Amino acid sequence: MSKIRVIIAGPRGKMGKAAVKMVHLNEKFELASVLDHKYDGQMLNEIDGFDKYTDIPIFTNIEECLQKSNADVLVDLTTPEFGFLHTKTTLQYGVRPVVGTTGFTLTQLDEIKQLAEEKEIGCIIAPNFAIGAVLMMKFSQMAARYFNDIEIIELHHNQKLDAPSGTAVKTAEMISEVRKKKEQGHPNEKETISGARGANIDGMHIHSVRLPGLIAHQQVMFGSEGESLTIRHDSYNRDSFMSGVKLSIETVMNASTLIYGLENIIE
């Protein structure tokens, strides 16, 4: 069985470095090339910290990268702006995107879904690649059938660009599927400082914390008369996301539409 040839977009970021390492070490995968915004025409092993990765070309233009790499999958770990462009372009070239970039709008997701189905190839967009985080979301959805008062607190490093996180938004969306809409707190509640109660999705509140030293953490708090329940997940390093990236690369090869969220491929 031939190896799955993979392009990594955003290889020099912390997630990108972990993904390059995972693909390089996995006997089922082959690192075809990387897509960066610098070092066009160079080889990856010419860059500090990548000396072990020989014969891996660096591209700065995604179309040239896709034309010359003969790849099966592109893993995008960049930003929402470039991630959307990369995803659409990748689908247009018949290559399957696996996207860890968050912050896509519903309109963008719908456009990607239509393009994937038109091309009849898979695309996976995962707000969180950590298997434990996906289970946290699924468990929270289960608990929401019995607890109607819910607050979500997500905590990330201070270099994260979007707030709230894609994981928090996805968690709220999953909970909303089983929870009746309810405005929580006192009916006459007023914020004495704007934003004190966080974002509001169907009456649930989401609070975003950004501090140096954090990686990716989320807790979902449920309250009822005389009891509370907290479901929490913590990622302590980027290696925690690689099991989900690996699963997504394998799964997207047999998909023919957009899959949004790993909870849809984890039994």
Side-chain angles (χ1 to χ4, degrees):
M1 181 174 164
S2 60
K3 293 185 177 183
I4 299 173
R5 288 177 57 82
V6 180
I7 300 168
I8 304 291
R12 291 183 296 112
K14 292 178 180 177
M15 277 284 287
K17 288 178 181 176
V20 166
K21 177 182 175 183
M22 183 276 292
V23 170
H24 177 71
L25 293 176
N26 193 299
E27 61 183 14
K28 296 180 181 179
F29 304 154
E30 181 179 350
L31 186 59
S33 64
V34 298
L35 179 66
D36 202 345
H37 67 275
K38 295 173 65 177
Y39 306 113
D40 187 48
Q42 293 185 237
M43 290 293 175
L44 189 58
N45 63 337
E46 298 177 61
I47 309 302
D48 288 345
F50 293 95
D51 55 290
K52 67 177 76 172
Y53 306 109
T54 58
D55 300 321
I56 308 299
I58 302 173
F59 297 92
T60 57
N61 181 282
I62 185 168
E63 295 200 37
E64 182 183 7
C65 179
L66 292 165
Q67 289 166 1
K68 294 182 177 179
S69 298
N70 188 31
D72 301 298
V73 175
L74 181 141
V75 176
D76 189 89
L77 302 167
T78 59
T79 65
E81 177 187 0
F82 288 104
F84 180 58
L85 171 65
H86 293 168
T87 302
K88 288 202 306 177
T89 307
T90 301
L91 286 168
Q92 288 162 352
Y93 274 84
V95 177
R96 300 165 186 271
V98 168
V99 186
T101 306
T102 61
F104 292 143
T105 66
L106 293 177
T107 300
Q108 289 174 327
L109 291 172
D110 187 58
E111 186 175 342
I112 291 167
K113 184 174 187 291
Q114 290 183 34
L115 185 55
E117 292 178 352
E118 177 186 317
K119 297 291 184 179
E120 297 184 334
I121 59 174
C123 171
I124 294 177
I125 298 177
N128 199 313
F129 280 119
I131 301 299
V134 176
L135 292 173
M136 175 266 297
M137 290 189 279
K138 291 174 75 77
F139 296 157
S140 295
Q141 186 183 48
M142 292 171 60
R145 297 180 184 275
Y146 306 97
F147 292 86
N148 207 32
D149 289 86
I150 303 163
E151 305 240 348
I152 299 170
I153 304 171
E154 56 95 351
L155 309 92
H156 284 80
H157 55 89
N158 62 333
Q159 299 303 303
K160 186 170 176 59
L161 297 177
D162 56 323
S165 69
T167 300
V169 173
K170 181 64 174 176
T171 303
E173 290 172 351
M174 291 173 63
I175 288 172
S176 292
E177 292 175 8
V178 300
R179 171 187 175 271
K180 291 182 180 179
K181 184 175 179 179
K182 176 187 177 182
E183 292 296 329
Q184 297 174 183
H186 195 282
N188 297 323
E189 175 182 88
K190 289 183 174 61
E191 291 182 332
T192 57
I193 299 177
S194 179
R197 291 289 285 123
N200 187 315
I201 297 182
D202 290 340
M204 284 179 286
H205 292 270
I206 301 178
H207 310 270
S208 296
V209 177
R210 298 290 178 266
L211 288 171
L214 298 175
I215 301 295
H217 318 263
Q218 179 170 295
Q219 65 183 45
V220 186
M221 301 180 66
F222 302 84
S224 186
E225 291 297 326
E227 64 176 328
S228 65
L229 170 67
T230 299
I231 300 174
R232 181 177 174 111
H233 175 263
D234 298 276
S235 284
Y236 299 110
N237 58 52
R238 271 76 182 181
D239 289 340
S240 66
F241 304 115
M242 291 306 108
S243 58
V245 175
K246 174 181 175 293
L247 176 64
S248 296
I249 292 171
E250 294 170 340
T251 302
V252 78
M253 293 298 295
N254 299 309
S256 58
T257 187
L258 169 65
I259 299 171
Y260 179 56
L262 293 195
E263 71 279 0
N264 295 301
I265 61 176
I266 293 177
E267 296 297 333

